[in-house]
Amino acid sequence: MRMLKIFGLVSMVWLAGCATNNASDPGLQSDGSGSGSIPTKHAQPSYPSGPLSPISPYQLGTGTYGVASIKAPADLWDRIRRGFAMPDLNNDLVRDREQWYATRPDYMQRMTERSSKYLFHIVEELERRNMPSELALLPYIESAFNPQAVSSAQAAGMWQFMPATGTYFDLKQNAFRDDRRDVLASTRAALDYLQKLYGMFGDWHLALAAYNWGEGSVSRAIARNQKQGLGVGYEDLSMPAETRMYVPKLQAVKNIVASPLRFNAELPLIENHPYFQTVDITRDIDVALVASLAGIREEDFRALNPSLHKPVILAAGMPKILLPWDNAQVFRKNLEAHNDGQYASWTVWSVPSTMSVTNAAQRIGISENDLRKLNGIPPRMMIKAGSALMVPRSATTQQDVSSQLADNGQIAFTPEIVNRRTVVRALKRGETVTAIAQRYRVSASDVADWNDVRTNARFKGGEHVTMYLPVRLTSTSFAKSTPQPRARAAAGKARAAAPAKAAAKSRPAAAKAAPAKRKR
């Protein structure tokens, strides 16, 4: 029995040793089936040649090296880094722009703080379309994230749409709003345009060049290079200096966002959370009332709804507004409880005929200065028929502005027509007052009044004849000479100041006397 125990103990030790040897042998692997170990040859590890380079945070997030983060983004900047997908540009222009931004921390701080209202929405839209998150940084380059920015070429908004391009992408531009500044509409249009350009060129750098320079210009530059057997990449093309710097600027901002510590930059915290909510509007309502009911300042409301031109929101044209996340629910509750007077103090009047600002103000019942300011009417202009003017809304008006006016209302002007004193000559001996009046398309009675003669009088050949002819005012013509009042009023003043003259007096003497009494 003792021998059996010793034999069993030896057997157990021997078996344990075999198991240990098998487990440590790199040539054996388990098949995972529980049936034992299958002898296989282990694959030899491979190492990259050359020096190793550190992996930047955004490369970790994009899967450049096959590494995917399973943690939720700490903030919106982290989320943006994870979505970087464009090829990097690395040249002296990029380093120049990095230096430019890095040495202006105050500018970077203002710009990034301004973007905090809009950036979450843009990132959401990019992810929904599976587009590179670098494009969320493009408004830094276009407008410094200022939705009210207007370029010298009249491009407007965060994404800097030209009027014609905005119209092509269905951005309304009328008397009451400009959707090129609208946060939701302009972002939708910009991403539509960028997707279209990427589809044309198959390269994000070329797509960005086309966004700045125009798709036709980029296409022609590519065609020229192809004809000459040259490269057709972004860095190969001949382009204006602004476009040449466009992608390097974006790359520089991308690099700073990717590694702020490297550039001694401090990015303000932007939480990975929506800044605003959309709120439905069913009635015309004053901007001031919306801000009051939401518990925010009017300037904060306009920062989220920068497309608005006027002090009132026309529900038929703008059925949704944006409010800060927490204030949206406050507004809804307060609006339900609001029963004090009208929602809107303003409405729209369609001008029935071309008229002066003075005449329009009298008909509406407000001051000329207020009407000009409210509708942006420049001096020395008349309002054309069919124009949509913002005017005070009477207490009895119940009907809101129609969708036709709210969506398509425009205001158009024509230069004021006034009369300016001019001296002409009779073309021939005995030319009649009527003949001169017909030549200049004025009435014979006016010509007679201006020259203190009868309507059937005749002039000598070459004789000076005073006329007050209509002139369309422009800034140039106004600078050259001051226009006279209406012809009859001026003539009446001149006649009152002049001594009474009999109609039988000599015409030359009367004609010479009249000009001296008419002031410019």
Side-chain angles (χ1 to χ4, degrees):
M1 181 63 120
R2 183 181 179 84
M3 292 297 293
L4 287 173
K5 287 182 178 180
I6 292 170
F7 177 76
L9 183 59
V10 171
S11 299
M12 290 176 65
V13 171
W14 179 78
L15 289 171
C18 292
T20 303
N21 289 338
N22 288 345
S24 62
D25 186 351
L28 294 176
Q29 280 187 332
S30 171
D31 66 354
S33 64
S35 59
S37 297
I38 303 171
T40 61
K41 200 69 177 175
H42 195 283
Q44 292 297 317
S46 61
Y47 299 96
S49 60
L52 299 178
S53 58
I55 300 174
S56 63
Y58 71 86
Q59 288 172 326
L60 281 171
T62 58
T64 305
Y65 298 100
V67 179
S69 175
I70 60 174
K71 293 182 180 179
D75 58 23
L76 196 59
W77 298 116
D78 188 20
R79 185 175 175 185
I80 290 171
R81 293 181 193 111
R82 296 185 188 194
F84 285 166
M86 287 186 193
D88 285 328
L89 193 66
N90 185 16
N91 58 31
D92 289 341
L93 293 179
V94 174
R95 286 183 283 277
D96 175 79
R97 292 298 90 188
E98 287 174 345
Q99 179 71 10
W100 193 93
Y101 287 119
T103 55
R104 290 164 174 79
D106 292 344
Y107 174 74
M108 288 293 294
Q109 186 75 12
R110 288 194 306 272
M111 191 166 63
T112 49
E113 285 179 351
R114 193 184 295 136
S115 71
S116 63
K117 297 178 176 66
Y118 320 111
L119 208 49
F120 181 89
H121 171 72
I122 296 172
V123 173
E124 287 270 297
E125 284 296 297
L126 288 169
E127 290 181 350
R128 187 176 65 81
R129 296 167 182 244
N130 197 30
M131 296 172 72
S133 63
E134 288 97 325
L135 297 174
L137 308 177
L138 194 60
Y140 288 124
I141 313 306
E142 285 289 347
S143 63
F145 260 104
N146 179 7
Q148 296 292 359
V150 181
S151 75
S152 57
Q154 298 307 303
M158 282 192 304
W159 297 95
Q160 289 290 280
F161 273 96
M162 294 290 286
T165 312
T167 300
Y168 180 85
F169 284 98
D170 199 28
L171 297 178
K172 294 282 186 181
Q173 301 157 64
N174 58 38
F176 316 112
R177 73 180 200 271
D178 185 347
D179 284 350
R180 294 178 300 161
R181 295 183 172 92
D182 184 90
V183 176
L184 303 187
S186 68
T187 299
R188 183 266 310 159
L191 300 192
D192 284 350
Y193 191 21
L194 287 164
Q195 281 185 312
K196 173 180 181 286
L197 294 171
Y198 181 72
M200 289 178 64
F201 299 106
D203 179 282
W204 279 115
H205 292 167
L206 291 176
L208 288 167
Y211 189 88
N212 176 258
W213 191 21
E215 56 205 71
S217 298
V218 172
S219 296
R220 287 188 291 273
I222 290 173
R224 282 194 299 269
N225 276 26
Q226 286 175 333
K227 189 175 180 180
Q228 298 171 32
L230 302 175
V232 293
Y234 175 80
E235 294 186 88
D236 300 314
L237 302 182
S238 176
M239 57 182 64
E242 180 185 333
T243 310
R244 173 64 62 209
M245 293 296 293
Y246 194 66
V247 175
K249 285 181 181 179
L250 182 63
Q251 182 71 53
V253 173
K254 171 184 175 178
N255 293 346
I256 293 171
V257 170
S259 304
L261 292 179
R262 177 183 158 204
F263 298 96
N264 197 29
E266 185 177 347
L267 300 177
L269 174 65
I270 303 180
E271 294 183 356
N272 188 23
H273 182 282
Y275 183 88
F276 56 75
Q277 290 188 53
T278 59
V279 177
D280 293 334
I281 294 295
T282 58
R283 295 279 308 276
D284 292 358
I285 184 169
D286 289 347
V287 169
L289 179 58
V290 172
S292 175
L293 295 178
I296 61 175
R297 299 179 306 169
E298 188 171 327
E299 54 263 42
D300 293 331
F301 174 82
R302 289 192 178 276
L304 286 178
N305 301 272
S307 64
L308 286 170
H309 281 172
K310 305 301 180 189
V312 66
I313 302 162
L314 305 180
M318 195 172 177
K320 293 183 184 296
I321 60 171
L322 305 183
L323 288 173
W325 187 266
D326 294 332
N327 299 90
Q329 189 59 27
V330 173
F331 170 76
R332 292 187 186 100
K333 289 181 179 178
N334 287 339
L335 184 63
E336 288 177 6
H338 180 75
N339 55 10
D340 183 19
Q342 296 191 71
Y343 291 121
S345 307
W346 309 91
T347 188
V348 177
W349 177 50
S350 186
V351 179
S353 60
T354 299
M355 62 179 67
S356 68
V357 180
T358 302
N359 191 4
Q362 289 172 348
R363 292 187 62 171
I364 297 164
I366 64 172
S367 73
E368 181 178 334
N369 185 56
D370 288 345
L371 184 62
R372 286 186 184 278
K373 185 176 179 181
L374 184 61
N375 293 278
I377 305 173
R380 302 185 300 278
M381 288 289 176
M382 299 180 71
I383 307 163
K384 293 185 75 171
S387 291
L389 289 184
M390 184 67 64
V391 299
R393 178 168 172 161
S394 70
T396 57
T397 301
Q398 298 298 322
Q399 189 174 3
D400 286 337
V401 177
S402 69
S403 58
Q404 172 63 24
L405 268 180
D407 257 345
N408 304 296
Q410 300 286 353
I411 181 166
F413 309 110
T414 185
E416 233 176 16
I417 300 176
V418 298
N419 296 316
R420 188 172 64 191
R421 179 182 178 278
T422 307
V423 176
V424 301
R425 292 177 182 272
L427 296 182
K428 59 184 179 180
R429 183 179 180 182
E431 188 169 24
T432 64
V433 168
T434 301
I436 292 176
Q438 289 175 347
R439 193 197 323 159
Y440 290 99
R441 298 183 180 180
V442 294
S443 71
S445 60
D446 280 343
V447 175
D449 283 344
W450 298 332
N451 293 276
D452 200 15
V453 296
R454 295 180 182 146
T455 54
N456 61 353
R458 295 175 178 272
F459 295 100
K460 295 178 180 179
E463 183 179 346
H464 286 185
V465 181
T466 298
M467 305 286 287
Y468 283 86
L469 301 178
V471 176
R472 283 185 177 272
L473 283 184
T474 64
S475 56
T476 304
S477 65
F478 189 82
K480 287 181 178 178
S481 64
T482 305
Q484 291 292 325
R486 299 281 177 188
R488 284 191 179 277
K493 289 179 182 178
R495 287 196 302 274
K501 292 184 176 64
K505 294 274 187 175
S506 68
R507 287 187 296 273
K512 289 176 182 177
K517 299 179 179 61
R518 291 175 171 83
K519 304 289 186 183
R520 288 195 173 189

